[in-house]
Amino acid sequence: MSVFICFDIGGTKSHIALYKKKLNSYKLLYSASKQTIKGKRGLKNTLTFLFSNCLAFVIQHNYELDNSIYISMIGDFGLDTVLKQGSASNICAFEGEFDDVCLADFFSDCFASNYKLYIVNDALAQCCGGYYVYNQSKRENFKSVISYLGLGTGLGGAFAEFKKEKGLSFFTDGHVSRVQMKSRLTNSNITAEEVLSAHYFKSIGVLDVKNFLSQANYSQHTRAQLNLLGAHFCDLVDLLFGNITTYHASWAKKDIVKIKQTSLLLIGGSIGVSELTKPFLYDIYFPYLNQTYSNIEIYLITNSFNCATLGAYLYFL
């Protein structure tokens, strides 16, 4: 029985999954996660640890392993898989460590050379995996334009058209993190990532987001700061789906207009779908979107790990 391996590499955790194709669906056979250790050496150790344990499972069960590995990876890179400067800061041990690194070469050092590597940006993988899961639960309910927003260690984005003959066709570079916004906290010009990711919590002095949000009581000042998560999300939605077209310098106007035709909004990421952030995020933006953009269906990717790993494979179909 042929099986294949997928990775999802994030700023906080890295994941591995082993899948088997079954007709038009996929069965998860094995999965594991490990804290992402910052830096080249740390990341390599993380990946080789996950990989060796997965291989042991494959041998134990006498599976036939495909010689391709599918990798969902943070950062900005093209077909040459060379990371653009500053785009992988969430996994760096020091500033600029992964600048201009060729991911194909880096991952080849982590795994045996006989594996063929398929590497895709993590937001694109999440979008593919999320749309697959959406269609599993709502068959034949096809959407023409799909947007993905992932709020986690950073802010990821992806935009795609769906065509029955070709599947998802992505447009723009997807880097919604660079969208220019106005901060409700300081009234200064900022990027969307600064207020819709773990970066926002750091800016208000919170380093352990999960532990902080687990507190039962917040001061009035803290609650007001947290509520800005939902308010800033509504501001981003207005830029993406409203009438403004001048919020992203590197996107073509025709693509910005196409984004405004979105009929399905996929939301993922550890912050984006967390029950702990729900009162300050989902409970604020959901009624606003329903009222202002009633043509857009919202779908939460609750198992973002499986969507990202499987999405890395689905992207290359």
Side-chain angles (χ1 to χ4, degrees):
M1 173 176 44
S2 181
V3 297
F4 58 91
I5 290 175
C6 300
F7 278 94
D8 173 44
I9 300 165
T12 303
K13 283 189 174 182
S14 293
H15 312 277
I16 191 171
L18 185 72
Y19 291 98
K20 175 183 70 173
K21 193 176 189 309
K22 295 178 63 180
L23 296 177
N24 294 323
S25 63
Y26 303 89
K27 182 179 180 181
L28 178 65
L29 302 173
Y30 171 91
S31 64
S33 303
K34 196 175 190 303
Q35 202 78 15
T36 300
I37 303 173
K38 308 293 184 184
K40 292 179 183 177
R41 180 181 296 179
L43 181 57
K44 182 177 180 180
N45 289 341
T46 300
L47 299 182
T48 52
F49 175 84
L50 291 170
F51 186 61
S52 61
N53 286 347
C54 185
L55 281 184
F57 180 86
V58 169
I59 294 169
Q60 178 187 350
H61 290 81
N62 200 30
Y63 291 137
E64 178 188 346
L65 184 62
D66 190 275
N67 70 340
S68 299
I69 297 176
Y70 302 88
I71 302 171
S72 162
M73 173 66 182
I74 63 173
D76 186 359
F77 52 90
L79 294 176
D80 60 2
T81 73
V82 175
L83 280 166
K84 293 183 180 178
Q85 293 187 4
S87 68
S89 58
N90 291 333
I91 58 171
C92 291
F94 54 87
E95 187 176 351
E97 183 180 10
F98 277 89
D99 288 358
D100 302 316
V101 166
C102 176
L103 292 174
D105 293 341
F106 177 79
F107 292 133
S108 291
D109 288 339
C110 298
F111 317 119
S113 58
N114 60 316
Y115 289 100
K116 187 171 183 180
L117 303 178
Y118 293 89
I119 308 165
V120 60
N121 171 266
D122 61 336
L124 301 182
Q126 280 274 12
C127 187
C128 288
Y131 190 60
Y132 167 79
V133 172
Y134 169 83
N135 274 326
Q136 289 295 102
S137 60
K138 303 189 178 186
R139 293 183 185 277
E140 304 303 323
N141 191 12
F142 296 109
K143 300 292 184 176
S144 56
V145 179
I146 298 98
S147 293
Y148 165 78
L149 297 174
L151 290 70
T153 308
L155 175 64
F159 307 97
E161 283 185 287
F162 179 81
K163 297 178 181 178
K164 286 190 177 182
E165 305 80 19
K166 299 180 179 179
L168 292 179
S169 176
F170 289 92
F171 59 96
T172 81
D173 59 11
H175 292 290
V176 72
S177 58
R178 298 172 189 157
V179 166
Q180 297 297 306
M181 297 175 59
K182 183 76 73 173
S183 169
R184 288 175 176 249
L185 194 63
T186 63
N187 201 37
S188 58
N189 293 323
I190 50 157
T191 62
E193 186 170 68
E194 291 177 73
V195 287
L196 289 170
S197 71
H199 294 282
Y200 176 68
F201 287 92
K202 289 178 183 177
S203 73
I204 60 173
V206 177
L207 298 181
D208 188 336
V209 177
K210 186 175 182 179
N211 182 58
F212 175 76
L213 292 176
S214 297
Q215 298 175 29
N217 298 307
Y218 302 104
S219 67
Q220 187 174 354
H221 175 68
T222 299
R223 187 169 293 276
Q225 288 180 314
L226 291 173
N227 284 338
L228 289 181
L229 268 176
H232 281 126
F233 192 95
C234 293
D235 290 343
L236 177 60
V237 161
D238 281 338
L239 291 173
L240 294 175
F241 308 132
N243 297 322
I244 300 172
T245 59
T246 56
Y247 57 81
H248 201 299
S250 65
W251 289 354
K253 187 171 181 179
K254 65 180 179 62
D255 288 336
I256 289 177
V257 171
K258 193 182 296 182
I259 290 171
K260 299 182 186 304
Q261 299 167 17
T262 293
S263 54
L264 174 64
L265 174 58
L266 302 171
I267 297 174
S270 56
I271 291 173
V273 298
S274 170
E275 280 295 317
L276 295 174
T277 61
K278 186 175 181 290
F280 317 107
L281 190 59
Y282 180 86
D283 290 350
I284 292 175
Y285 75 68
F286 185 77
Y288 179 75
L289 262 75
N290 263 351
Q291 181 179 355
T292 313
Y293 305 99
S294 57
N295 60 307
I296 300 177
E297 181 180 358
I298 300 169
Y299 185 80
L300 298 184
I301 305 173
T302 52
N303 195 334
S304 56
F305 150 51
N306 283 350
C307 285
T309 51
L310 183 57
Y313 169 81
L314 295 173
Y315 178 83
F316 291 100
L317 290 183

